[in-house]
Amino acid sequence: MPALTAPESLHPSPELRAAWCQIRRSSSELIHRIAVVTVAITVAVALSPWLIFRACWGRFKSGSWLTSEVVLGRHGRALRRLRFSGPMPGAGLASLWHVATGDYEWIGPRAVRHRDLTELSTSELVRLEVAPGLVSLGAIRQKMGLAHDGVAALEHSMAYKVQSLDLGMMARAVLATCLGSRTSGDDTVCLFGVDIDDRTMASAVDELVDAALHGRPQRVAFVNPDCLNKAYVDDAYRSALCGADRVYADGIGIRLAAGWRGQGLRDNVNGTDLFPRLCERAAQEGLSMYLLGARPGVAERAATTMVERYPGLQIVGTRDGYFGDDEEADVRQTIRTSGADIVLVAFGAPRQELWIEEHHAELGASVALGVGGLFDFYSGRIERAPQAWRDLGLEWLFRLTREPGRLWRRYVIGNPLFVVRTVLRADRRLNTPRGER
Ligand code: UDP
Protein backbone atom coordinates (compact mmCIF):
# COMPACT_ATOMS: atom_id res chain seq x y z
CA MET A 1 0.00 0.00 0.00
CA PRO A 2 1.44 3.43 -0.86
CA ALA A 3 2.49 5.64 2.15
CA LEU A 4 -0.03 8.28 3.15
CA THR A 5 1.25 11.85 2.67
CA ALA A 6 -0.58 15.08 3.24
CA PRO A 7 -1.56 16.83 0.05
CA GLU A 8 0.76 19.70 -0.86
CA SER A 9 -1.98 22.23 -0.10
CA LEU A 10 -2.10 21.13 3.62
CA HIS A 11 1.57 22.15 4.31
CA PRO A 12 1.57 25.77 5.51
CA SER A 13 3.61 28.07 3.33
CA PRO A 14 6.66 29.86 4.85
CA GLU A 15 4.70 33.14 4.78
CA LEU A 16 1.84 31.55 6.72
CA ARG A 17 4.27 30.09 9.28
CA ALA A 18 6.00 33.48 9.71
CA ALA A 19 2.64 35.17 10.20
CA TRP A 20 1.62 32.52 12.77
CA CYS A 21 4.90 33.03 14.69
CA GLN A 22 4.34 36.77 14.66
CA ILE A 23 0.80 36.37 16.03
CA ARG A 24 2.07 34.09 18.81
CA ARG A 25 4.87 36.52 19.71
CA SER A 26 2.54 39.51 19.75
CA SER A 27 -0.06 37.75 21.86
CA SER A 28 2.53 36.58 24.43
CA GLU A 29 3.90 40.15 24.58
CA LEU A 30 0.36 41.43 25.10
CA ILE A 31 -0.28 38.91 27.90
CA HIS A 32 3.04 39.90 29.49
CA ARG A 33 2.15 43.60 29.30
CA ILE A 34 -1.29 43.03 30.79
CA ALA A 35 0.29 41.03 33.66
CA VAL A 36 2.96 43.69 34.30
CA VAL A 37 0.44 46.55 34.32
CA THR A 38 -2.08 44.63 36.46
CA VAL A 39 0.59 43.89 39.08
CA ALA A 40 1.76 47.53 38.99
CA ILE A 41 -1.75 48.85 39.57
CA THR A 42 -2.40 46.28 42.34
CA VAL A 43 0.85 47.19 44.11
CA ALA A 44 0.15 50.93 43.71
CA VAL A 45 -3.33 50.51 45.22
CA ALA A 46 -1.96 48.39 48.08
CA LEU A 47 0.78 50.91 48.79
CA SER A 48 -1.38 53.99 48.21
CA PRO A 49 -1.43 55.17 51.86
CA TRP A 50 2.37 55.04 51.93
CA LEU A 51 2.70 56.60 48.45
CA ILE A 52 0.42 59.49 49.45
CA PHE A 53 2.30 59.97 52.73
CA ARG A 54 5.66 59.82 50.90
CA ALA A 55 4.57 62.41 48.32
CA CYS A 56 3.19 64.75 51.05
CA TRP A 57 6.34 64.36 53.13
CA GLY A 58 8.50 65.28 50.09
CA ARG A 59 6.32 68.29 49.42
CA PHE A 60 6.51 69.36 53.08
CA LYS A 61 10.30 68.95 53.26
CA SER A 62 11.40 70.22 49.86
CA GLY A 63 8.45 72.14 48.45
CA SER A 64 7.73 69.78 45.54
CA TRP A 65 5.87 66.48 45.22
CA LEU A 66 8.15 64.94 42.65
CA THR A 67 11.46 65.46 40.90
CA SER A 68 12.22 64.26 37.39
CA GLU A 69 15.27 63.44 35.38
CA VAL A 70 15.76 62.41 31.76
CA VAL A 71 16.72 58.73 31.39
CA LEU A 72 16.89 56.39 28.43
CA GLY A 73 14.07 53.89 28.14
CA ARG A 74 13.42 50.99 25.80
CA HIS A 75 15.37 51.32 22.52
CA GLY A 76 17.16 54.38 23.91
CA ARG A 77 14.00 56.51 23.91
CA ALA A 78 14.32 59.44 26.31
CA LEU A 79 11.74 59.69 29.09
CA ARG A 80 11.32 61.70 32.28
CA ARG A 81 11.82 59.44 35.28
CA LEU A 82 9.82 60.50 38.31
CA ARG A 83 11.00 60.28 41.92
CA PHE A 84 9.40 61.48 45.11
CA SER A 85 11.17 64.55 46.51
CA GLY A 86 13.25 64.58 49.66
CA PRO A 87 15.87 62.24 51.09
CA MET A 88 13.45 59.81 52.82
CA PRO A 89 13.57 56.15 51.58
CA GLY A 90 11.07 55.14 48.91
CA ALA A 91 11.78 57.98 46.44
CA GLY A 92 12.10 55.44 43.61
CA LEU A 93 8.60 54.06 44.20
CA ALA A 94 7.25 56.88 42.03
CA SER A 95 8.62 54.81 39.13
CA LEU A 96 5.65 52.46 39.62
CA TRP A 97 3.96 54.93 37.30
CA HIS A 98 6.45 54.03 34.54
CA VAL A 99 5.78 50.32 35.01
CA ALA A 100 2.05 50.97 34.70
CA THR A 101 2.55 52.98 31.51
CA GLY A 102 4.84 50.34 30.01
CA ASP A 103 8.03 52.42 29.95
CA TYR A 104 9.64 50.30 32.66
CA GLU A 105 9.68 46.57 33.37
CA TRP A 106 9.60 45.22 36.91
CA ILE A 107 13.01 43.65 36.47
CA GLY A 108 15.65 45.05 34.17
CA PRO A 109 18.88 47.01 34.06
CA ARG A 110 19.18 50.31 35.90
CA ALA A 111 17.95 53.19 33.79
CA VAL A 112 20.83 55.06 32.19
CA ARG A 113 20.71 58.80 32.79
CA HIS A 114 20.81 60.79 29.61
CA ARG A 115 23.84 62.70 30.82
CA ASP A 116 25.73 59.41 31.48
CA LEU A 117 25.21 58.16 27.93
CA THR A 118 28.72 59.15 26.84
CA GLU A 119 30.21 57.02 29.64
CA LEU A 120 28.73 53.76 28.27
CA SER A 121 31.10 51.60 26.24
CA THR A 122 29.93 50.31 22.86
CA SER A 123 29.19 46.86 24.29
CA GLU A 124 27.20 48.40 27.15
CA LEU A 125 24.93 50.19 24.68
CA VAL A 126 23.19 46.82 24.09
CA ARG A 127 21.57 47.37 27.46
CA LEU A 128 19.49 50.20 25.98
CA GLU A 129 17.64 47.70 23.78
CA VAL A 130 15.50 46.57 26.71
CA ALA A 131 13.32 48.58 29.06
CA PRO A 132 14.91 49.62 32.37
CA GLY A 133 13.66 47.86 35.48
CA LEU A 134 12.09 49.19 38.64
CA VAL A 135 14.27 46.54 40.24
CA SER A 136 17.74 45.75 38.95
CA LEU A 137 19.95 42.85 39.81
CA GLY A 138 22.85 45.25 40.30
CA ALA A 139 20.90 47.21 42.92
CA ILE A 140 19.92 44.01 44.76
CA ARG A 141 23.47 42.69 44.89
CA GLN A 142 24.81 46.11 45.91
CA LYS A 143 22.39 46.30 48.83
CA MET A 144 23.37 42.79 49.93
CA GLY A 145 27.10 43.57 49.61
CA LEU A 146 27.47 41.07 46.77
CA ALA A 147 28.21 43.32 43.79
CA HIS A 148 31.85 42.33 44.02
CA ASP A 149 32.74 43.07 40.41
CA GLY A 150 30.84 46.35 40.23
CA VAL A 151 27.24 47.10 39.39
CA ALA A 152 27.91 47.99 35.75
CA ALA A 153 29.40 44.56 35.03
CA LEU A 154 26.42 42.86 36.65
CA GLU A 155 23.88 44.91 34.77
CA HIS A 156 25.61 44.09 31.56
CA SER A 157 25.90 40.35 32.13
CA MET A 158 22.57 39.64 33.79
CA ALA A 159 19.94 42.19 33.06
CA TYR A 160 18.68 40.82 29.78
CA LYS A 161 18.05 37.35 31.16
CA VAL A 162 15.67 38.56 33.83
CA GLN A 163 13.44 40.83 31.79
CA SER A 164 10.13 39.58 33.13
CA LEU A 165 7.72 39.45 35.97
CA ASP A 166 10.07 37.25 37.94
CA LEU A 167 8.50 36.80 41.38
CA GLY A 168 11.71 35.33 42.84
CA MET A 169 13.66 38.41 41.78
CA MET A 170 10.98 40.69 43.18
CA ALA A 171 11.15 38.84 46.50
CA ARG A 172 14.94 39.27 46.48
CA ALA A 173 14.49 42.99 45.81
CA VAL A 174 12.05 43.44 48.70
CA LEU A 175 14.37 41.54 51.02
CA ALA A 176 17.44 43.48 49.87
CA THR A 177 15.59 46.74 50.46
CA CYS A 178 14.65 45.65 53.99
CA LEU A 179 18.00 44.09 54.91
CA GLY A 180 20.42 46.22 52.95
CA SER A 181 22.11 49.02 54.82
CA ARG A 182 23.81 52.22 53.86
CA THR A 183 27.50 52.48 54.60
CA SER A 184 28.44 54.69 57.52
CA GLY A 185 31.87 55.72 56.29
CA ASP A 186 33.69 54.19 59.30
CA ASP A 187 36.45 51.72 58.49
CA THR A 188 35.76 49.36 61.39
CA VAL A 189 32.70 48.00 63.08
CA CYS A 190 33.00 46.59 66.60
CA LEU A 191 30.86 43.52 67.36
CA PHE A 192 31.22 41.41 70.51
CA GLY A 193 34.50 43.19 71.24
CA VAL A 194 36.02 42.30 67.84
CA ASP A 195 36.91 45.08 65.41
CA ILE A 196 35.79 44.11 61.91
CA ASP A 197 37.35 45.89 58.94
CA ASP A 198 34.79 47.36 56.57
CA ARG A 199 36.17 46.90 53.06
CA THR A 200 34.92 46.32 49.56
CA MET A 201 35.93 42.98 48.08
CA ALA A 202 38.25 44.74 45.63
CA SER A 203 40.06 46.75 48.31
CA ALA A 204 40.44 43.64 50.52
CA VAL A 205 42.10 41.78 47.63
CA ASP A 206 44.31 44.82 46.94
CA GLU A 207 45.40 44.93 50.59
CA LEU A 208 46.37 41.27 50.65
CA VAL A 209 48.23 41.39 47.34
CA ASP A 210 50.04 44.53 48.40
CA ALA A 211 51.10 42.97 51.72
CA ALA A 212 52.34 39.84 49.92
CA LEU A 213 54.24 41.85 47.31
CA HIS A 214 55.97 43.93 49.97
CA GLY A 215 56.58 41.03 52.37
CA ARG A 216 54.44 42.70 55.04
CA PRO A 217 53.16 40.18 57.61
CA GLN A 218 49.40 40.02 57.52
CA ARG A 219 47.20 37.73 59.61
CA VAL A 220 43.71 37.59 58.20
CA ALA A 221 40.44 36.19 59.56
CA PHE A 222 36.88 36.09 58.24
CA VAL A 223 34.11 36.22 60.82
CA ASN A 224 30.49 35.12 60.60
CA PRO A 225 27.95 34.92 63.45
CA ASP A 226 29.19 31.46 64.43
CA CYS A 227 32.75 32.80 64.79
CA LEU A 228 31.57 35.69 66.97
CA ASN A 229 29.48 33.32 69.10
CA LYS A 230 32.61 31.23 69.63
CA ALA A 231 34.72 34.32 70.32
CA TYR A 232 32.14 35.43 72.88
CA VAL A 233 32.93 32.49 75.14
CA ASP A 234 36.51 31.76 74.09
CA ASP A 235 39.02 34.35 75.28
CA ALA A 236 41.93 32.83 73.35
CA TYR A 237 40.01 32.94 70.08
CA ARG A 238 38.77 36.48 70.73
CA SER A 239 42.32 37.52 71.46
CA ALA A 240 43.52 35.92 68.19
CA LEU A 241 40.84 37.85 66.27
CA CYS A 242 41.68 41.10 68.02
CA GLY A 243 45.35 40.55 67.24
CA ALA A 244 44.76 39.80 63.54
CA ASP A 245 45.81 42.47 61.05
CA ARG A 246 42.55 42.15 59.14
CA VAL A 247 39.16 40.77 60.13
CA TYR A 248 36.63 40.73 57.28
CA ALA A 249 32.84 40.56 57.52
CA ASP A 250 31.55 37.25 56.19
CA GLY A 251 27.86 36.99 55.38
CA ILE A 252 24.46 38.44 56.00
CA GLY A 253 24.49 37.94 59.80
CA ILE A 254 27.39 40.32 60.33
CA ARG A 255 25.87 42.75 57.84
CA LEU A 256 22.58 42.81 59.74
CA ALA A 257 24.25 43.11 63.14
CA ALA A 258 26.39 46.03 61.95
CA GLY A 259 23.31 47.64 60.38
CA TRP A 260 21.38 47.37 63.68
CA ARG A 261 24.21 49.33 65.27
CA GLY A 262 23.86 52.00 62.63
CA GLN A 263 26.99 50.99 60.77
CA GLY A 264 26.39 49.75 57.25
CA LEU A 265 29.04 47.56 55.65
CA ARG A 266 30.41 48.11 52.18
CA ASP A 267 30.61 44.47 51.09
CA ASN A 268 30.19 40.90 52.16
CA VAL A 269 33.89 40.00 52.14
CA ASN A 270 33.69 36.24 52.58
CA GLY A 271 36.60 33.91 51.93
CA THR A 272 34.74 31.85 49.35
CA ASP A 273 34.14 34.82 47.04
CA LEU A 274 37.53 36.33 47.79
CA PHE A 275 39.53 33.19 46.95
CA PRO A 276 39.12 33.20 43.12
CA ARG A 277 39.83 36.94 43.00
CA LEU A 278 42.96 36.45 45.08
CA CYS A 279 44.06 33.58 42.82
CA GLU A 280 43.54 35.72 39.73
CA ARG A 281 45.63 38.55 41.14
CA ALA A 282 48.30 36.18 42.51
CA ALA A 283 48.66 34.68 39.03
CA GLN A 284 49.05 38.17 37.52
CA GLU A 285 51.55 39.33 40.16
CA GLY A 286 53.58 36.10 40.33
CA LEU A 287 52.68 35.42 43.98
CA SER A 288 52.68 31.80 45.17
CA MET A 289 50.23 30.04 47.49
CA TYR A 290 50.15 27.07 49.85
CA LEU A 291 46.85 25.38 50.73
CA LEU A 292 46.76 23.71 54.14
CA GLY A 293 43.75 21.97 55.62
CA ALA A 294 40.56 19.97 54.91
CA ARG A 295 40.36 16.21 54.38
CA PRO A 296 43.10 14.33 52.52
CA GLY A 297 43.07 15.11 48.78
CA VAL A 298 40.63 18.05 49.08
CA ALA A 299 43.19 20.91 49.08
CA GLU A 300 44.96 19.23 46.17
CA ARG A 301 41.74 19.04 44.10
CA ALA A 302 40.95 22.68 44.93
CA ALA A 303 44.49 23.62 43.79
CA THR A 304 44.07 21.76 40.49
CA THR A 305 40.77 23.56 39.85
CA MET A 306 42.24 26.99 40.49
CA VAL A 307 45.40 26.40 38.45
CA GLU A 308 43.22 25.31 35.51
CA ARG A 309 41.06 28.37 35.93
CA TYR A 310 43.93 30.86 36.36
CA PRO A 311 46.86 29.78 34.19
CA GLY A 312 50.15 30.88 35.68
CA LEU A 313 48.89 30.56 39.26
CA GLN A 314 51.60 29.00 41.41
CA ILE A 315 50.27 26.73 44.12
CA VAL A 316 53.53 25.49 45.59
CA GLY A 317 52.09 22.89 47.96
CA THR A 318 49.01 21.40 49.58
CA ARG A 319 48.46 19.32 52.71
CA ASP A 320 45.42 18.03 54.55
CA GLY A 321 44.46 19.30 57.99
CA TYR A 322 44.36 15.98 59.83
CA PHE A 323 47.96 15.61 60.97
CA GLY A 324 49.17 14.56 64.41
CA ASP A 325 51.18 16.58 66.91
CA ASP A 326 54.29 14.66 65.88
CA GLU A 327 53.91 16.01 62.29
CA GLU A 328 53.39 19.65 63.30
CA ALA A 329 57.01 20.73 62.93
CA ASP A 330 57.27 18.99 59.56
CA VAL A 331 54.14 20.77 58.28
CA ARG A 332 55.58 24.17 59.18
CA GLN A 333 58.96 23.33 57.72
CA THR A 334 57.37 22.18 54.45
CA ILE A 335 55.47 25.45 54.11
CA ARG A 336 58.59 27.44 54.85
CA THR A 337 60.70 25.64 52.26
CA SER A 338 57.90 25.94 49.68
CA GLY A 339 58.59 29.70 49.62
CA ALA A 340 54.86 30.49 49.48
CA ASP A 341 53.90 34.16 49.71
CA ILE A 342 50.34 33.43 50.83
CA VAL A 343 49.18 30.52 52.97
CA LEU A 344 45.54 29.55 53.35
CA VAL A 345 44.70 27.53 56.46
CA ALA A 346 41.43 25.58 56.48
CA PHE A 347 41.03 23.86 59.87
CA GLY A 348 37.77 25.60 60.84
CA ALA A 349 37.39 28.25 63.57
CA PRO A 350 38.88 28.74 66.10
CA ARG A 351 41.67 26.22 65.47
CA GLN A 352 42.91 27.89 62.26
CA GLU A 353 43.12 31.40 63.81
CA LEU A 354 44.94 30.06 66.89
CA TRP A 355 47.32 28.06 64.70
CA ILE A 356 48.08 31.08 62.50
CA GLU A 357 48.60 33.29 65.57
CA GLU A 358 51.09 30.81 67.01
CA HIS A 359 52.99 29.87 63.87
CA HIS A 360 52.72 32.69 61.35
CA ALA A 361 56.25 33.94 61.97
CA GLU A 362 57.71 30.47 61.24
CA LEU A 363 55.90 29.93 57.94
CA GLY A 364 57.86 32.41 55.87
CA ALA A 365 54.66 33.48 54.07
CA SER A 366 53.73 37.13 54.51
CA VAL A 367 49.98 36.63 54.30
CA ALA A 368 48.17 33.90 56.25
CA LEU A 369 44.41 33.53 56.04
CA GLY A 370 42.04 31.30 58.00
CA VAL A 371 39.48 30.12 55.45
CA GLY A 372 37.22 27.44 57.02
CA GLY A 373 35.51 25.10 54.58
CA LEU A 374 36.76 26.92 51.48
CA PHE A 375 38.65 23.98 49.92
CA ASP A 376 35.58 21.77 50.30
CA PHE A 377 33.70 24.10 47.94
CA TYR A 378 36.44 24.56 45.34
CA SER A 379 37.32 20.86 45.26
CA GLY A 380 33.66 20.06 44.59
CA ARG A 381 33.41 17.98 47.79
CA ILE A 382 30.55 20.17 49.04
CA GLU A 383 28.19 22.06 46.75
CA ARG A 384 27.97 25.81 47.36
CA ALA A 385 24.56 27.45 47.64
CA PRO A 386 23.14 28.67 44.30
CA GLN A 387 23.42 32.42 43.67
CA ALA A 388 19.71 33.02 44.34
CA TRP A 389 20.09 31.60 47.89
CA ARG A 390 23.14 33.83 48.42
CA ASP A 391 21.26 36.89 47.16
CA LEU A 392 18.58 36.13 49.73
CA GLY A 393 21.19 35.82 52.52
CA LEU A 394 20.34 32.14 52.89
CA GLU A 395 23.65 30.45 52.19
CA TRP A 396 23.66 29.20 55.81
CA LEU A 397 20.26 27.53 55.29
CA PHE A 398 21.53 25.76 52.20
CA ARG A 399 24.57 24.52 54.15
CA LEU A 400 22.26 23.37 56.93
CA THR A 401 20.22 21.28 54.47
CA ARG A 402 23.46 19.67 53.21
CA GLU A 403 25.03 18.86 56.59
CA PRO A 404 22.22 19.05 59.20
CA GLY A 405 23.91 16.67 61.66
CA ARG A 406 27.09 18.75 61.86
CA LEU A 407 25.64 22.24 61.48
CA TRP A 408 22.25 22.32 63.28
CA ARG A 409 23.75 23.63 66.51
CA ARG A 410 25.69 26.33 64.68
CA TYR A 411 22.62 27.69 62.92
CA VAL A 412 19.47 26.61 64.78
CA ILE A 413 20.82 27.61 68.18
CA GLY A 414 23.69 29.89 67.13
CA ASN A 415 21.72 32.29 64.91
CA PRO A 416 19.06 33.24 67.51
CA LEU A 417 21.80 33.47 70.15
CA PHE A 418 23.75 35.83 67.93
CA VAL A 419 20.66 38.00 67.39
CA VAL A 420 19.95 38.17 71.14
CA ARG A 421 23.57 39.07 71.94
CA THR A 422 23.59 41.71 69.21
CA VAL A 423 20.32 43.27 70.33
CA LEU A 424 21.42 43.26 73.98
CA ARG A 425 24.79 44.71 72.91
CA ALA A 426 26.40 41.98 74.96
CA ASP A 427 29.95 42.82 73.88
CA ARG A 428 32.98 41.27 75.48
CA ARG A 429 36.13 43.33 75.76
CA LEU A 430 39.76 42.36 76.03
CA ASN A 431 41.86 44.45 78.36
CA THR A 432 43.99 45.81 75.53
CA PRO A 433 42.23 47.32 72.49
CA ARG A 434 43.39 46.23 69.01
CA GLY A 435 45.26 49.40 68.14
CA GLU A 436 47.53 49.09 71.20
CA ARG A 437 48.52 45.49 70.64
N1 UDP B 1 39.30 20.49 59.27
C1 UDP B 1 40.64 20.15 59.24
N2 UDP B 1 41.21 19.59 60.34
C2 UDP B 1 40.50 19.34 61.47
C3 UDP B 1 39.14 19.72 61.51
C4 UDP B 1 38.58 20.30 60.38
O1 UDP B 1 41.31 20.37 58.24
O2 UDP B 1 41.08 18.83 62.43
C5 UDP B 1 38.71 21.08 58.06
C6 UDP B 1 37.45 20.41 57.57
O3 UDP B 1 37.75 19.28 56.78
C7 UDP B 1 36.80 21.52 56.79
C8 UDP B 1 37.26 22.79 57.52
O4 UDP B 1 38.30 22.37 58.38
O5 UDP B 1 37.31 21.54 55.47
C9 UDP B 1 36.19 23.41 58.41
O6 UDP B 1 35.06 23.64 57.72
P1 UDP B 1 33.80 24.40 58.33
O7 UDP B 1 32.68 24.08 57.42
O8 UDP B 1 33.61 24.08 59.76
O9 UDP B 1 34.25 25.89 58.22
P2 UDP B 1 33.42 27.21 57.95
O10 UDP B 1 33.71 27.56 56.55
O11 UDP B 1 32.01 26.93 58.21
O12 UDP B 1 34.04 28.13 58.94
Side-chain angles (χ1 to χ4, degrees), residues 293-295 321-322 346-348 351 371-373 376 399 406 410:
R295 296 183 187 182
Y322 293 85
F347 300 157
R351 188 181 152 207
V371 292
D376 294 316
R399 288 193 71 183
R406 187 173 80 89
R410 181 188 290 193

Side-chain angles (χ1 to χ4, degrees), residues 90-165:
L93 277 176
S95 293
L96 268 174
W97 167 254
H98 301 305
V99 182
T101 56
D103 287 328
Y104 268 43
E105 289 283 345
W106 277 99
I107 316 284
R110 275 182 180 184
V112 176
R113 288 181 301 188
H114 192 262
R115 59 189 153 108
D116 294 339
L117 184 58
T118 49
E119 285 167 26
L120 288 189
S121 66
T122 317
S123 62
E124 282 174 329
L125 286 174
V126 184
R127 151 178 175 193
L128 298 178
E129 282 306 304
V130 294
L134 186 70
V135 167
S136 93
L137 192 71
I140 294 176
R141 295 258 171 89
Q142 195 173 41
K143 284 205 170 85
M144 299 298 272
L146 292 171
H148 298 315
D149 297 317
V151 173
L154 262 176
E155 296 283 345
H156 187 56
S157 63
M158 302 291 298
Y160 322 115
K161 296 184 205 155
V162 292
Q163 270 276 308
S164 66
L165 239 181

Side-chain angles (χ1 to χ4, degrees), residues 43-374:
V43 172
V45 170
L47 293 181
S48 55
W50 161 254
L51 296 176
I52 292 167
F53 167 76
R54 181 63 187 80
C56 294
W57 190 90
R59 165 101 177 134
F60 171 69
K61 279 282 177 197
S62 59
S64 64
W65 304 98
L66 295 162
T67 60
S68 73
E69 175 176 39
V70 179
V71 298
L72 298 170
R74 207 189 301 261
H75 306 310
R77 196 168 58 82
L79 65 108
R80 283 202 164 272
R81 178 179 59 188
L82 301 175
R83 291 175 67 81
F84 289 121
S85 307
M88 190 184 187
L93 277 176
S95 293
L96 268 174
W97 167 254
H98 301 305
V99 182
T101 56
D103 287 328
Y104 268 43
E105 289 283 345
W106 277 99
I107 316 284
R110 275 182 180 184
V112 176
R113 288 181 301 188
H114 192 262
R115 59 189 153 108
D116 294 339
L117 184 58
T118 49
E119 285 167 26
L120 288 189
S121 66
T122 317
S123 62
E124 282 174 329
L125 286 174
V126 184
R127 151 178 175 193
L128 298 178
E129 282 306 304
V130 294
L134 186 70
V135 167
S136 93
L137 192 71
I140 294 176
R141 295 258 171 89
Q142 195 173 41
K143 284 205 170 85
M144 299 298 272
L146 292 171
H148 298 315
D149 297 317
V151 173
L154 262 176
E155 296 283 345
H156 187 56
S157 63
M158 302 291 298
Y160 322 115
K161 296 184 205 155
V162 292
Q163 270 276 308
S164 66
L165 239 181
D166 180 334
L167 293 181
M169 282 288 291
M170 285 157 77
R172 277 194 252 175
V174 171
L175 200 90
T177 307
C178 300
L179 300 185
S181 47
R182 286 167 190 275
T183 56
S184 61
D186 292 340
D187 283 341
T188 56
V189 174
C190 184
L191 290 175
F192 296 18
V194 175
D195 281 337
I196 299 168
D197 296 283
D198 181 19
R199 296 286 187 275
T200 61
M201 180 62 84
S203 62
V205 173
D206 282 346
E207 281 178 342
L208 301 180
V209 169
D210 193 60
L213 284 174
H214 292 94
R216 216 173 36 248
Q218 192 96 322
R219 270 202 283 138
V220 181
F222 299 87
V223 289
N224 55 32
D226 176 55
C227 299
L228 289 189
N229 276 337
K230 286 176 178 156
Y232 188 83
V233 291
D234 181 340
D235 287 347
Y237 179 37
R238 199 165 66 255
S239 167
L241 289 178
C242 291
D245 300 283
R246 290 283 173 262
V247 178
Y248 295 127
D250 171 357
I252 185 72
I254 302 292
R255 192 170 186 78
L256 285 176
W260 289 333
R261 302 215 169 164
Q263 286 179 275
L265 292 173
R266 292 178 175 89
D267 257 354
N268 172 348
V269 185
N270 61 85
T272 319
D273 285 329
L274 181 133
F275 184 48
R277 292 167 173 85
L278 187 61
C279 288
E280 186 177 20
R281 286 291 302 284
Q284 288 163 358
E285 305 287 349
L287 294 167
S288 58
M289 283 186 184
Y290 193 101
L291 311 189
L292 172 67
R295 296 183 187 182
V298 171
E300 202 179 333
R301 283 205 299 278
T304 309
T305 306
M306 299 323 270
V307 170
E308 278 169 11
R309 214 189 274 184
Y310 301 106
L313 175 66
Q314 302 168 55
I315 297 194
V316 290
T318 62
R319 167 135 202 181
D320 69 78
Y322 293 85
F323 48 85
D325 291 347
D326 52 330
E327 295 170 283
E328 265 280 348
D330 178 51
V331 168
R332 297 196 300 269
Q333 182 59 30
T334 311
I335 296 175
R336 193 177 182 84
T337 47
S338 76
D341 300 297
I342 302 169
V343 57
L344 285 87
V345 184
F347 300 157
R351 188 181 152 207
Q352 61 199 13
E353 282 75 21
L354 297 174
W355 193 87
I356 292 174
E357 182 183 45
E358 192 178 346
H359 301 301
H360 186 199
E362 300 162 63
L363 303 178
S366 332
V367 179
L369 305 97
V371 292
L374 180 83

